[in-house]
Amino acid sequence: MNSLKSNNKSDKQIKNVDGLTANERRDVVLSELKRKSKIRTIFKDCEVSEIKEILDRIESVFEEKYAEETLKKQNHEKMQEQAQSILSEMEEKGIDMDLLQELQFKKDSLSVPPPKVKYMKDGASWSGLGRRPTPFKGLSDYELEKYRKLKD
């Protein structure tokens, strides 16, 4: 009879957790594992071998995470060293950030030149690219030339 009660209780707990998102479940688990009294309550009926198995898995995950963070930190430091080296080299050659920004602006402005020819009719404009707007539909090429305007 006691096993039935515990099954019903665990079913209720599962139903309460089922409605949570993965992040919310993670937060619940972490909040429980941060308090020693909660850990004692959770593992009170577990055998020592089960607790040891769980600890081994947690330690394995810890080692993976630690190695990953160490590698990220090393890569970040390497990138910072390279950036510092580039800045030093630029300074030696007399290149400043303003010049780089100017060059970047020129590159961006030259990448997509705006169409130079525009057609104007009854307040409507058309670059000559894409579909013709309604005021220009049905005009022959000869008639369209009447509305050509050179762009400033």
Side-chain angles (χ1 to χ4, degrees), residues 11-44:
D11 287 345
K12 287 179 185 176
Q13 290 172 343
I14 290 171
K15 288 178 185 175
N16 290 339
V17 174
D18 281 343
L20 301 177
T21 66
N23 283 337
E24 290 170 336
R25 287 192 304 255
R26 176 188 161 277
D27 291 342
V28 168
V29 169
L30 289 177
S31 69
E32 294 293 307
L33 292 177
K34 287 182 180 180
R35 297 183 60 206
K36 192 174 183 177
S37 61
K38 293 287 187 174
I39 294 171
R40 280 192 184 118
T41 303
I42 291 169
F43 292 110
K44 78 176 181 184

Side-chain angles (χ1 to χ4, degrees), residues 93-106:
K93 294 182 178 184
I95 300 172
D96 63 351
M97 294 301 288
D98 293 334
L99 178 60
L100 288 177
Q101 288 176 344
E102 182 182 320
L103 290 173
Q104 182 66 35
F105 178 73
K106 283 182 182 178

Side-chain angles (χ1 to χ4, degrees), residues 9-99:
K9 186 177 180 183
S10 65
D11 287 345
K12 287 179 185 176
Q13 290 172 343
I14 290 171
K15 288 178 185 175
N16 290 339
V17 174
D18 281 343
L20 301 177
T21 66
N23 283 337
E24 290 170 336
R25 287 192 304 255
R26 176 188 161 277
D27 291 342
V28 168
V29 169
L30 289 177
S31 69
E32 294 293 307
L33 292 177
K34 287 182 180 180
R35 297 183 60 206
K36 192 174 183 177
S37 61
K38 293 287 187 174
I39 294 171
R40 280 192 184 118
T41 303
I42 291 169
F43 292 110
K44 78 176 181 184
D45 294 332
C46 291
E47 295 180 13
V48 173
S49 61
E50 286 179 301
I51 296 172
K52 177 64 177 154
E53 186 178 325
I54 292 168
L55 280 174
D56 290 342
R57 288 182 184 151
I58 290 174
E59 188 173 326
S60 173
V61 169
F62 167 77
E63 289 170 359
E64 290 172 9
K65 185 77 172 171
Y66 184 78
E68 181 182 308
E69 285 184 10
T70 302
L71 182 62
K72 278 184 182 179
K73 185 177 178 183
Q74 289 172 349
N75 288 340
H76 182 70
E77 288 172 357
K78 186 185 257 186
M79 292 292 283
Q80 281 184 325
E81 288 173 10
Q82 290 175 347
Q84 187 61 42
S85 171
I86 291 170
L87 285 174
S88 298
E89 188 176 331
M90 285 174 43
E91 191 175 293
E92 289 172 9
K93 294 182 178 184
I95 300 172
D96 63 351
M97 294 301 288
D98 293 334
L99 178 60

